[in-house]
Amino acid sequence: MTNEPGWLIHRYDSVASTMDVASQLARFGARERTAVVSTDQTAGRGRGGRSWQAAAGSAVFATLILRPPV
């Protein structure tokens, strides 16, 4: 857990994948409770690598960075 208050939200109009952006942020030390949010993603993936698509502006795509103690 972190002592930092609230969420840090990175908002984009369009990304290839919110997971790709969040993964890069996490590798560079993004803190817990960081969110990547977009209203369009062009190369989203679901479980098992399946395509994850919706018309631009019809959904909100989000990936959260959590760092639970393990």
Side-chain angles (χ1 to χ4, degrees):
M1 288 286 199
T2 180
N3 291 328
E4 304 217 17
W7 286 83
L8 177 61
I9 300 173
H10 294 262
R11 186 200 170 285
Y12 300 91
D13 291 327
S14 181
V15 294
S17 165
T18 57
M19 182 65 83
D20 291 346
V21 175
S23 179
Q24 185 173 14
L25 289 170
R27 277 194 301 272
F28 286 101
R31 67 178 176 92
E32 181 176 52
R33 293 188 310 223
T34 295
V36 176
V37 179
S38 179
T39 54
D40 182 34
Q41 64 178 8
T42 59
R45 297 176 310 280
R47 287 186 184 171
R50 291 186 282 269
S51 177
W52 186 268
Q53 297 177 340
S58 69
V60 175
F61 301 95
T63 299
L64 309 176
I65 298 173
L66 303 174
R67 297 185 182 275
V70 239

